[in-house]
Amino acid sequence: MTTPSPASAGGLLQLIRGGRAHTRTDLQRATGMSRSTVGHRLDELNRAGWLRQDTGTSTGGRPSHRIVFDPGHAAVLAVDLETRYARVAVLDLAGTVLAEHTGDLDIGDGPDRVLDELARRFPELLTAAGVPAAAVCGVGLSVPGPVDWDKGQIVQPPIMPGWDRFPVRERMQEAYAAHVGACMRDAHGTGVPVFVDNDANLMARAEQQMGHPDCSAFVLVKVSTGIGAGVVVHDESFRGIDGGAGDIGHIRLHDRPDALCMCGSYGCLAAVASGGALARELSGLGLDVTTATDVKALLDQGHPDAVRLARQAGRRVGEVLATVVTLLNPGVLMLAGDLAGIPFMTGVRELLYQRAMPRTTAHLSVVTSQLGEHAGLIGAAAMVVDVLYAPQRADARLRVLAQAAPAAPEPQEDQ
């Protein structure tokens, strides 16, 4: 892939969004372009409505004008799909939730029915947020399974029957058109842009950007119905070659050959230490528990059996994380999901610090989620924004927007 030129409007936008330039002088210095050319590129961005000027006070007492990305010029529809329910929200481009809805939705009903039901909720949410359909720039979908990012397809998901290789992106575009009725097209002439990624990846993306932006190696472990990890290295999600990175729930434990996992194998970490596994154990003790959410409710009540099993599960996960931490040497290890409370974290810490080398954990922070139930939504929205406003994609979108208006003359370079 060729590197986008910083001289394009999209290149300037990247500098502004990344906080590396806030004035015309900053942009000239960063790109080597003349003042008139910078002005022309900024005119492109301003005509699209993507920028605004913030007025502050300089050290000399005179007003200063900072050029910033305007997060309110468009909106994103984000979906955080769990196994038994889904969160759907409208967010601005800075990740602020404008309206949201959480409701029951069984992922086992299959992609056609689930995606249609999700899109059915969009119009009411847009109305509640006061956002017209024309302002939606894309849809972000967080799912509990491995995702082939380039194809927008879920690949061999253990807890998503019927979703393997299903054309999620195209089906969501159809459902969006049917229920929202907007005729928006992206720069490639297709439907509203739809992007899909694994839930742990998106949660890690959101938590790192919002709470730990200076951490160059960040790991989030989500423990709910299953177990998965998201890895962010130098501000980029690490997905592996086809989306399989971070699937630690299917690392085999040497001493549990009897534990049957939903993937069909025996001895997987998820079959022993996930919320689903604990639900089965608690049900065997006579408790009315069927899901990871039920386990969380018992943990919130301080139920002794739930607390005991959550700590044991944390120890088993800690065994695996000792290897993960040794391999990646992260600065932050974040625990999230239904089990991520004090008992589980205590168990993780016990085994992690016992098994990993002191040098590996000397500068490691083991923390819990800061964004809570909104992490998946914010991560899904951030995914959409990062793709659509990346330099090459932004330039393509600007060309589409400019087709309806006469092109401005190219400025002459300053001599």
Side-chain angles (χ1 to χ4, degrees), residues 18 27 46 75 88 96 111 121 143 157 193 196 209 217 225 227 231 238 279 302 311 317 320 328 331 370 373:
L27 292 167
N46 282 317
V88 186
T96 301
R121 300 175 185 178
V143 298
V196 188
Q209 287 184 355
T225 300
I227 301 175
V231 179
F238 179 77
R311 183 163 179 171
V317 173
V320 170
L328 297 177
Q370 294 177 324
E373 63 183 18

Side-chain angles (χ1 to χ4, degrees), residues 75-77 90 99 121-133 136 176 180:
V76 175
L77 281 160
V90 183
R121 300 175 185 178
F122 290 165
E124 185 176 351
L125 279 169
L126 289 170
T127 299
V131 172
V136 175
Y176 180 94
V180 180

Side-chain angles (χ1 to χ4, degrees), residues 162-185:
W163 290 77
D164 184 30
R165 299 292 180 181
F166 185 86
V168 172
R169 180 187 298 158
E170 294 77 8
R171 181 66 184 91
M172 178 57 86
Q173 288 175 331
E174 293 172 1
Y176 180 94
H179 294 290
V180 180
C183 59
M184 175 189 171
R185 293 291 184 267

